[in-house]
Amino acid sequence: MATEARHTVLLVDDHALFRHGLKLLLDSHPRYRVAGEAASGEEMIGWLEAAGDRMPDIVLLDISMPGMNGIEAAGIALARYPDLRIITLSMYGEEDYYFRMVSQGVKGFLLKNSDISEVYAALEAVLEGGSYFSQELLFNLVSNLRSSSSGTGGGTDDADDDNRAADAADEICLSDREREILLLICKGLTNNEIADRLFISKRTVDKHRANILEKTNCKNTANLVVYAIKNGLVEI
């Protein structure tokens, strides 16, 4: 009986010990295999260029690296390979980069101290065509947005930002069901899990999700999550 081919992963991180530990954990799983490693953004781009038709199914990419960092590497890689699926490995305090990286096409974010079970969950979500945000990172993102909008400066720029966010939320006419589904998307549930939670079919969830993306002018789920939080469409 033939063994099912495992999904390939490219690990990009400048810390060899972290890479090797994660490689051991991924290679021990029956669904994944580490196809390559890179210690910098430059090495990542070089690896992808040499891969030809053996592109990895997913890239796990660190943000903070010497030389070309993860932000630059993701931008270059996704411009050349738009279908590349990247999950960013993040530390606390790097939330300012999220909007930029999501707009580039990154599929999700994981904290580097995440449990391996969460890494597997993120890989599965992205392989199924969705995105994945660590709940801890989502709460940090929401907290930072709230802090910046209610900062002690009280300047005009903050007030203008609040007004623009309120205007954006008012202009987007989502139905009650769409808002319900949007909240569950932002909480990291897959379409199948949303369907089970709301006792509706996955096809119905797919249709609502497509409508939400069109109404918000978001190109993917990761972009939608950040947009929804930034513009106050949901409360996490």
Side-chain angles (χ1 to χ4, degrees), residues 12-33:
V12 187
D13 192 286
D14 60 310
H15 294 100
L17 191 61
F18 177 82
R19 285 200 320 272
H20 294 165
L22 187 53
K23 180 180 187 302
L24 286 172
L25 290 168
L26 291 174
D27 283 344
S28 69
H29 194 284
R31 283 180 55 78
Y32 308 112
R33 175 178 66 84

Side-chain angles (χ1 to χ4, degrees), residues 7-227:
H7 295 289
T8 55
V9 181
L10 173 62
L11 297 180
V12 187
D13 192 286
D14 60 310
H15 294 100
L17 191 61
F18 177 82
R19 285 200 320 272
H20 294 165
L22 187 53
K23 180 180 187 302
L24 286 172
L25 290 168
L26 291 174
D27 283 344
S28 69
H29 194 284
R31 283 180 55 78
Y32 308 112
R33 175 178 66 84
V34 174
E37 299 178 45
S40 67
E42 292 91 345
E43 285 188 21
M44 168 186 161
I45 299 302
W47 196 98
L48 293 173
E49 288 175 346
D53 59 355
R54 298 189 302 276
M55 296 293 283
D57 294 317
I58 288 188
V59 177
L60 290 176
L61 173 63
D62 186 22
I63 289 181
S64 299
M65 296 182 291
M68 182 188 293
N69 62 30
I71 301 169
E72 296 171 283
I76 293 171
L78 289 166
R80 295 180 185 178
Y81 315 105
D83 295 330
L84 191 65
R85 290 174 285 204
I86 297 176
I87 297 174
T88 300
L89 300 171
S90 169
M91 298 291 287
Y92 286 110
E94 295 178 332
E95 290 86 354
D96 290 345
Y97 302 126
Y98 296 173
F99 300 117
R100 184 172 164 190
M101 296 196 76
V102 166
S103 69
Q104 291 174 339
V106 167
K107 299 297 184 184
F109 296 90
L110 276 171
L111 279 172
K112 292 186 75 172
N113 64 353
S114 297
D115 187 83
I116 189 59
S117 62
E118 187 172 13
V119 176
Y120 295 148
L123 291 171
E124 286 301 311
V126 171
L127 286 168
E128 290 176 5
S131 61
Y132 189 90
F133 279 76
S134 162
Q135 285 300 297
E136 220 169 336
L137 285 172
L138 271 182
F139 285 121
N140 289 346
L141 182 58
V142 172
S143 177
N144 286 351
L145 287 171
R146 285 173 177 164
S147 296
S148 63
S149 65
S150 60
T152 56
T156 305
D157 290 343
D158 286 341
D160 289 344
D161 287 343
D162 288 344
N163 290 335
R164 281 193 292 271
D167 290 343
D170 289 341
E171 289 173 3
I172 297 170
C173 298
L174 299 180
S175 68
D176 290 341
R177 177 63 91 185
E178 287 170 343
R179 288 184 181 276
E180 189 175 19
I181 289 173
L182 177 58
L183 176 60
L184 295 176
I185 290 173
C186 290
K187 288 185 175 180
L189 273 68
T190 66
N191 284 7
N192 281 325
E193 290 170 335
I194 293 172
D196 291 342
R197 176 78 64 89
L198 300 180
F199 303 103
I200 57 179
S201 70
K202 179 181 177 294
R203 180 176 295 182
T204 299
V205 177
D206 292 340
K207 183 176 179 181
H208 281 305
R209 178 183 175 277
N211 288 340
I212 296 167
L213 287 170
E214 183 178 359
K215 288 180 179 181
T216 57
N217 199 28
C218 291
K219 58 187 178 183
N220 56 51
T221 305
N223 191 223
L224 174 64
V225 170
V226 171
Y227 180 92

